[in-house]
Amino acid sequence: MTMKAALITGTSRPLGLGFAVARQLAELDHHVFLTARDVSRAELLAARLRRENHQATALRLDLTDAASMVEAADQVAQRVGHLDVLVNNASDAVDFTVLSALDADLDAVRSALDVDVLGPWRLVQTLLPLLTAAPAARIVNVSSISAQQIATGLDLGASLRAPAHSFAKHALDVLTTVLARALKDTPILVNAVDPGETATHPERGDEQDARPAADSARGVVRAATLDGNGPTGRLFRDPWPLT
């Protein structure tokens, strides 16, 4: 039986959601490809998984660099020849302290769109031959409750908290539905998951009520391992579904 393969973007931090997702998929017998702009950081985490007897490979991947995506795709093709799971987890720096669209730094908005929307979009295009080579691939886009300020008018205590982050994640949710429609005649399912508030930055001191990354990762892994009757083009958040 051919081992399943999963590529997760943004896996450079031991406490990060990306690494928690990678570990859980590795425990489900996936060869996991941990990717980051700084491959040395991803390699430290991949080595940790290998010490736990999992199949793990670190790759350089920068969502603003098309050439790095092609190189990563080539590496996956050479090693396994297919891709069962793509988790678009990487995200740009969050502008938490900005509370209004009128105060948004538009350079930050542009950067967030590049990393959170255009990067995943191009990555799906680049990896599509590998995704279609798998029997039934899954694409999971990691969203954020911040996007619901735009989609549903959710009140997070500001006219628009973290506008760059929120706008980009809203656009990523829209991209999810667009990709799902484009792939509707294939076995590939595309969904977005808002993992909820997750404790990944203890140095900030503002995550006392957030849950561990391992808990938040379960919803992402659930979407990454849906069976053939699973939904597509949906946004999920604990408790499922949100929309």
Side-chain angles (χ1 to χ4, degrees):
M1 180 177 178
T2 302
M3 173 176 271
K4 290 188 174 182
L7 186 147
I8 306 97
T9 67
T11 51
S12 63
R13 303 181 64 255
L15 296 179
L17 179 67
F19 183 50
V21 169
R23 166 170 273 140
Q24 290 180 24
L25 286 171
E27 290 170 348
L28 293 173
D29 296 325
H30 289 66
H31 183 143
V32 291
F33 291 88
L34 289 74
T35 74
R37 287 176 293 184
D38 183 348
V39 70
S40 65
R41 297 179 65 181
E43 173 55 30
L44 290 174
L45 301 181
R48 183 185 298 188
L49 293 179
R50 290 195 296 269
R51 289 194 296 271
E52 297 170 8
N53 296 316
H54 300 303
Q55 295 291 317
T57 301
L59 299 175
R60 178 184 175 272
L61 197 155
D62 182 342
L63 289 171
T64 65
D65 179 0
S68 78
M69 299 185 201
V70 172
E71 183 177 350
D74 289 344
Q75 290 292 319
V76 175
Q78 291 173 24
R79 289 174 182 269
V80 294
H82 65 281
L83 191 62
D84 300 271
V85 176
L86 168 61
V87 179
N88 285 308
N89 167 70
S91 187
D92 201 27
V94 183
D95 52 336
F96 283 122
T97 61
V98 184
L99 305 179
S100 169
L102 300 178
D103 297 323
D105 179 342
L106 295 187
D107 288 334
V109 174
R110 182 180 294 107
S111 179
L113 289 172
D114 283 343
V115 174
D116 290 47
V117 186
L118 299 180
W121 194 343
R122 185 184 294 275
L123 187 59
V124 169
Q125 292 178 327
T126 303
L127 295 175
L128 191 57
L130 290 165
L131 292 164
T132 55
R138 304 291 179 255
I139 299 171
V140 186
N141 296 325
V142 176
S143 184
S144 168
I145 194 172
S146 298
Q148 297 306 302
Q149 297 176 100
I150 300 170
T152 67
L154 179 69
D155 184 3
L156 293 181
S159 64
L160 183 61
R161 184 178 297 275
H165 176 71
S166 303
F167 193 85
K169 289 300 186 182
H170 171 68
L172 181 64
D173 292 344
V174 174
L175 177 63
T176 299
T177 64
V178 169
L179 292 175
R181 290 193 203 109
L183 294 165
K184 65 183 179 62
D185 295 325
T186 77
I188 300 173
L189 303 181
V190 188
N191 290 290
V193 174
D194 169 11
E197 189 175 359
T198 306
T200 59
H201 290 276
E203 72 279 0
R204 290 204 315 242
D206 60 354
E207 297 179 338
Q208 294 88 345
D209 298 326
R211 60 185 181 177
D215 292 348
S216 294
R218 293 191 186 107
V220 177
V221 172
R222 179 181 173 187
T225 55
L226 289 169
D227 63 29
N229 296 317
T232 192
R234 302 283 295 277
L235 167 62
F236 297 106
R237 184 172 191 264
D238 290 335
W240 287 21
L242 176 62
T243 61

